[in-house]
Amino acid sequence: FRSAPGSFAWRSMRAVSAMVAAAAAALCLAGASALPLSLLRHKNRAMLEERQAAAASLGGMLRLPQTQYFTQKTDHFDWTTETWQQRYWVNATFCADFNKGCPIFLYLGGEASESAYSAVAGEHVELAAQNGAYLATLEHRFYGGSLPKPDLTVDSLRLLSSQQALADLSAFVQALRVQTGLTDAKTSPLVTFGGSYPGALSAWARLKYPHVVHAAVSTSSPVRAEVDYYGYCEVVADALLSPIAGGSQKCYDATRAAFSQMHDRLNGSPQALAALSKQLHSCKPIQATENDRFAAMSAWAGEVMGLVQYNRLVLPKDSPRLNVERYCQNMTAAAKGEELASLATLLTASSSSCMQNTWAEQMVELDNTQADPQASGVGIRQWVWQTATQFAYYQGCNTQGSCPFAADMDIAGFGRQTEEAFGVPLQQTREAVDFTEGYYGSNTTAADRTFFVNGGLDPWHVLSVQRDLPQWGDVRSVVIDGTSHCRQMSPSSPTDPKQVVEAREKVAQAISEWLA
């Protein structure tokens, strides 16, 4: 566990901090709650792009920490002695004196693979430097190379839950303290960090393991489980309307018109459906079935949802990525009646591959029970299992509200997916969500010394804590106006908006007070 100070070149890292930013941008992507499947794939693409850019830009200037393995118990709630190897990374650069002790900052992984980058760049690393903290990153069970079982069958996935993950955290911390000598919780208090689902884990770790976790920072965290999560699409609508993000009424109207046209053709004549399949660059023809209508609508809605969830207010001029501003510039230029054509052209312009718009194609990916220890990116089958058995977060479209999509993307469709993939029907998911709400206390309960950070245009902020909760102790919150998912977790930059800088300062002040 204990790496010698200077085991990798922090001074070099500071010199190339702008280059490291690309790697750190993938931090929150590695833990970002997302459905439908196209939104998960959107996250995978973004993670791959960010890490490839980081590797190319860093070259040999930064030696990353080595991957290490912790022998973890397979089932913390059973007498079994079976174990597995959990991946982690450490950065001991900032701990000046192990004998006197130093804070421990633990960055939590979520529904995707982790990497060494999360131990060297990001807001939590800057805070570790400021507070002289020992830093560790722990990959979540069943994601990346941390596999308790050799497959992803339902029998194996029964061991995948937030409760098991929190118990993993506790066991890891106890061993880490012994191996590093940082055994005194008073001189070496532990602070957890995470964004999105790992942000929820961070808050829950403080709530459920207060003797292990001294304080928690919980960013963009959906601590409230909800089946009928119509609020997600309503925040997408808000973003398309927001002048701060580059949206407008015309952009929202054009988007809604495009998906209305898609809905009409999905439910139209065989000729209209055949033409739509071609227009949407389908790998296989869309069929006139309830399942294919759900699959096609959610695939294309997921692309727009991804633009909002991972929006960046400013992009380099030569960047091929879309943000809300660029998307809206294109959509508002569409001729009336041609909005769907503009949408299809815009969202496929940077890709030469076809779109998986059918139920059968999407289920192939979701039904894959092979576990790959070399996998990177989001574990799609694993995460959908977690939503089906704990959280739901089903982003259906309520057309009576402001949702810019169409009713083909309904809650029942998500239920049909999970019943086919895991044998978990929608009613069983509703019961599981009720348990989760009772177990963690939703977004109205939190432990003392927890800080919740959210973006005002992040669709997940609706399920998080958006105000201070003094009845539970020192529970603080900030909602950053005009920003998206996990925005403040990236490394500091001279181009950061004022509201992001101010939010980071509030988090830093809280941690300073809690460690005093």
Side-chain angles (χ1 to χ4, degrees), residues 25-36:
L27 291 173
C28 193
L29 290 170
S33 309
L35 288 169

Side-chain angles (χ1 to χ4, degrees), residues 438-474:
Y439 187 80
Y440 292 121
S442 194
N443 59 350
T444 58
T445 305
D448 185 38
R449 296 191 297 272
T450 303
F451 204 125
F452 292 90
V453 186
N454 287 284
L457 293 181
D458 175 15
W460 294 103
H461 83 268
V462 177
L463 300 182
S464 189
V465 174
Q466 303 169 56
R467 57 184 175 83
D468 295 354
L469 299 176
Q471 68 270 34
W472 299 106
D474 191 355

Side-chain angles (χ1 to χ4, degrees), residues 484-497:
S484 59
H485 206 55
C486 305
R487 174 61 180 85
Q488 98 293 343
M489 292 180 70
S490 297
S492 300
S493 166
T495 61
D496 286 333

